[in-house]
């Protein structure tokens, strides 16, 4: 069974934070993904969802889930906190996780 828990949200609403003039807002959502593994353990991963709100009332979304990063929820929370601190997006998170996993 898979369980997904929201760990953090980051809203970008000020003009200097938004990367394009065609956007009027952006949000990043960071989730812990918990999976059951056989015979009686758990594995933890992350999911990041990026939502961009356009000036013409449209919404663009991108996301990525990376499962089985480690067997410790505590370590995944540490990783997510770093991702939040640096505003890591779905497009770059795979490279960042590859660099971090051996360090945490």
């Amino acid at each position: 069974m898979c369980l997904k828990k929201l760990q953090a949200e980051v809203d970008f609403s000020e003009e200097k934070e938004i990367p394009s003039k065609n956007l009027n807002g952006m949000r990043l959502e960071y989730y812990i993904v918990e999976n059951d593994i056989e015979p009686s353990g758990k594995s933890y991963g992350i999911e990041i969802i990026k939502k961009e709100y356009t000036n013409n009332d449209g919404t663009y979304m991108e996301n990525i889930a990376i499962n089985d990063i480690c067997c410790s929820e505590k370590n995944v929370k540490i990783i997510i906190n770093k991702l939040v601190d640096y505003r890591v997006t779905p497009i770059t998170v795979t490279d960042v996780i590859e660099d971090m996993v051996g360090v945490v």
Side-chain angles (χ1 to χ4, degrees):
M1 183 170 95
C2 181
L3 177 67
K4 186 166 96 169
K5 298 183 278 187
L6 180 65
Q7 183 69 24
E9 295 175 294
V10 178
D11 284 311
F12 299 87
S13 58
E14 294 184 27
E15 189 174 309
K16 65 182 179 182
E17 297 178 319
I18 300 172
S20 170
K21 292 182 181 183
N22 297 328
L23 300 176
N24 62 15
M26 188 171 80
R27 167 179 272 184
L28 293 169
E29 298 172 355
Y30 299 85
Y31 293 86
I32 293 177
V33 179
E34 179 182 302
N35 291 296
D36 292 330
I37 55 175
E38 296 297 328
S40 61
K42 296 192 183 297
S43 172
Y44 297 92
I46 63 158
E47 181 175 7
I48 300 177
I49 299 173
K50 177 183 171 185
K51 298 177 183 175
E52 295 178 340
Y53 307 104
T54 64
N55 292 333
N56 60 1
D57 294 329
T59 302
Y60 170 77
M61 286 181 41
E62 65 182 70
N63 74 313
I64 189 169
I66 302 172
N67 294 314
D68 305 324
I69 293 174
C70 65
C71 293
S72 166
E73 185 175 10
K74 177 183 172 188
N75 286 346
V76 170
K77 286 182 179 181
I78 291 169
I79 290 170
I80 286 180
N81 288 337
K82 291 291 184 190
L83 298 175
V84 171
D85 289 346
Y86 290 98
R87 310 301 195 247
V88 176
T89 63
I91 201 163
T92 59
V93 71
T94 302
D95 292 331
V96 173
I97 293 296
E98 286 175 0
D99 291 342
M100 290 180 72
V101 167
V103 178
V104 176

